[in-house]
Amino acid sequence: MTELTSHKTTAGSIPETAAGGILHVDLDGLASNWRTLRDKAGGAETAAVVKANAYGIGIEQAVPALAGAGCRTFFVAHLSEAVRVRAVAPGAAVYVLNGLFSGTGPTYAEFDLRPVLGSFEEIEEWAGFCRAEGRKRKAAIHVDTGMNRLGLTVPQGLELKGRSELKDFDTSLLMSHFVSAEESANPLNRQQIEAFEAVRSSLPGIPASLPNSSGIFLPDRPGYDLVRPGYALYGGNPTPDRDNPMKPVVGLEARIVQLRWVEADQTVGYNGRWLALEKRRIATLSVGYADGYPRAASARGKSGDELLAGMTLVAGRPCPFAGNVSMDLITVDVTDVPENEIRRGDTVTLIGGDLTVDEVGRRAGTIGYEILTGLGSRYARAYHGGQG
C-alpha cells in the first residue's frame, strides 16, 4: 500500500489497537483503477462488478467511491447484494448475474433492479411478470459462448429474434463471459467473440457486453457498448503475463501476540509438521483461517524449506510462515529480524508491498480472487480516501 495520510474505520468495528488484524482499503486507489479501465475501454461504458461484498472490501464503501468516480452501472451475483447497492446508489443500473429465481419479480420491481436472464424459462417468467404489471421493465440476456455455467446456448441465442416474449420487457443488455481472457493467446477468446458476434448481429439495437477485467486488455477485442471489470478494480492483475497496470487497493496487517525462541529439533504448530533445524525465533500473529487467511499457506517440513509457504513482511523483511495456519493464529519465523526491531503488539504485513493479492494467492496454491473474497469480519477495517 502507498503511504496514506487519513483513514476512517467502519462504524461499529473494534479499534485498530484492539484488533488482531487491520484491513486497509484505499478507496482512492479503487476509483483510480476504475478510471484506468474506463480509459482502456475505448469509449465503451465501464461498469463495476461488486459481487461478493465488493470482492471483500465492502459494498457500502466501494459503491459510493466508484459512483463518485463516474460509474453508473453495477453487477452483483445475488439479489440481496443488489438491494444493498441500491441503498447507496439510488440512480444506478444494477444487474443480478445469477439469474431470476422464481417469484422474485416483485423484489426486482420494488428496488428497480435488473435480472440477467439465462434461460427461456427465465425469459418467460420475466415477460409474464412485466405483462401482469403493465410495465416493460429492463433485463439483460446472457448467452453462453463457452463457459457452460449459465446462459442460453448460442443456438438458443439465435432463436431469440423470433421470441414474442421480448416484446414484453426492455432488453437493456446482451452479454456473455470470457472463459480465459487472462490468457491473451488462447484461441478460445476469438471463438467466443465470433459466437457472441453471431448472436449480437441477429439482435440489432441491443447494447452488448463481453469483456471482463482481463478482456479489456485483450488485443483486437471488441469493446461493444459496456465492459464489466471486477478483479482489476481491487488491485488484482488482469494481465498475469505482464506487469500489473492496476494500483493496490487492499493491505492487511496482523498483530504479534507473542515472541518466543524454539530450540533445535522442536516443532511448531498442529501435528508438528514444521521442524526447527536450529534455534529459531517465532512470532505468533493474531490472524488465522477463521479470518479468511488460507490454511493452504501453511509451512511444513524443516526450517529453510518454506519456499512455497506463506510469507509476511516483518520490519520490512520477508519472513516465512512456520507450521500450520490455525484457526486464529499464524506462526512466523522471524529469526533474521534483529530482536530490537520487533516486539509484542507490533503489526506485520500479510498483504502489501511485494506481497500482492496475486502473490499471496500463489503461495497458498490458489488465486487472488479467493484471497480478496475471503477477507474476514474480525479485522478492524480502515477505509482511506473515497467520498465522505
Side-chain angles (χ1 to χ4, degrees):
M1 296 277 290
T2 55
E3 186 69 24
L4 299 166
T5 57
S6 64
H7 69 269
K8 54 185 178 179
T9 302
T10 307
S13 69
I14 62 173
E16 291 181 18
T17 54
I22 305 165
L23 180 68
H24 295 275
V25 179
D26 182 359
L27 295 175
D28 288 341
L30 175 70
S32 177
N33 285 342
W34 182 85
R35 287 190 290 266
T36 295
L37 294 162
R38 175 201 61 192
D39 294 345
K40 185 70 176 177
E45 180 186 355
T46 301
V49 180
V50 293
K51 62 184 180 179
N53 197 28
Y55 283 61
I57 74 170
I59 281 176
E60 285 74 17
Q61 293 76 27
V63 168
L66 290 163
C71 185
R72 296 292 177 263
T73 301
F74 297 91
F75 288 81
V76 295
H78 297 289
L79 186 55
S80 59
E81 297 174 324
V83 172
R84 290 171 60 191
V85 173
R86 174 58 71 228
V88 291
V94 185
Y95 288 93
V96 180
L97 291 163
N98 279 19
L100 178 70
F101 289 174
S102 183
T104 56
T107 303
Y108 279 94
E110 178 182 356
F111 294 97
D112 190 23
L113 306 172
R114 305 179 186 186
V116 177
L117 308 174
S119 68
F120 286 147
E121 291 84 359
E122 290 179 351
I123 288 172
E124 290 166 0
E125 177 162 345
W126 187 246
F129 174 76
C130 290
R131 282 197 305 272
E133 197 184 35
R135 179 174 175 180
K136 295 180 67 171
R137 292 190 174 274
K138 295 181 178 181
I141 293 180
H142 182 186
V143 177
D144 174 36
T145 55
M147 188 72 79
N148 286 311
R149 298 183 311 184
L150 294 173
L152 299 167
T153 65
V154 171
Q156 287 175 328
L158 293 171
E159 294 177 23
L160 282 171
K161 62 181 179 181
R163 302 282 300 201
S164 61
E165 295 93 341
L166 296 192
K167 299 176 182 178
D168 296 314
F169 63 91
D170 180 359
T171 305
S172 53
L173 196 66
L174 179 71
M175 58 179 284
S176 190
H177 192 59
F178 278 120
V179 172
S180 300
E182 71 278 8
E183 301 171 2
S184 59
N186 193 318
L188 187 54
N189 294 322
R190 175 50 52 185
Q191 294 171 24
Q192 287 191 267
I193 290 170
E194 292 173 355
F196 185 65
E197 182 60 32
V199 178
R200 175 177 173 269
S201 297
S202 71
L203 296 167
I206 297 177
S209 175
L210 180 58
N212 55 359
S213 288
S214 295
I216 293 171
F217 292 86
L218 282 175
D220 303 321
R221 57 100 180 115
Y224 293 122
D225 301 287
L226 180 143
V227 297
R228 312 186 310 271
Y231 186 52
L233 289 170
Y234 309 97
N237 190 354
T239 58
D241 56 342
R242 289 171 275 163
D243 291 341
N244 190 354
M246 315 313 299
K247 291 184 177 180
V249 171
V250 170
L252 178 61
E253 296 176 316
R255 198 170 301 281
I256 296 174
V257 180
Q258 191 173 99
L259 289 155
R260 66 172 62 221
W261 284 97
V262 172
E263 300 296 329
D265 297 325
Q266 289 189 335
T267 62
V268 174
Y270 280 114
N271 306 117
R273 290 178 177 167
W274 185 90
L275 176 69
L277 293 181
E278 57 189 5
K279 188 175 182 179
R280 309 298 293 178
R281 195 179 191 211
I282 301 298
T284 301
L285 312 181
S286 188
V287 165
Y289 61 74
D291 301 290
Y293 202 96
R295 187 174 182 273
S298 299
R300 295 156 186 170
K302 302 174 183 178
S303 56
D305 290 345
E306 309 90 349
L307 291 178
L308 293 179
M311 186 75 68
T312 184
L313 299 176
V314 182
R317 294 173 173 84
C319 295
F321 289 6
N324 284 335
V325 174
S326 54
M327 184 180 291
D328 310 296
L329 300 167
I330 297 172
T331 40
V332 179
D333 184 349
V334 296
T335 311
D336 294 337
V337 180
E339 287 190 58
N340 64 350
E341 291 192 17
I342 51 171
R343 60 184 180 180
R344 177 178 66 88
D346 285 352
T347 58
V348 304
T349 299
L350 287 173
I351 301 175
D354 291 338
L355 291 176
T356 65
V357 291
D358 292 292
E359 175 63 10
V360 172
R362 185 187 74 83
R363 287 183 167 275
T366 183
I367 55 177
Y369 294 75
E370 187 173 2
I371 302 301
L372 285 175
T373 57
L375 294 170
S377 60
R378 298 195 296 190
Y379 302 125
R381 290 178 169 239
Y383 291 92
H384 306 258
Q387 303 299 308

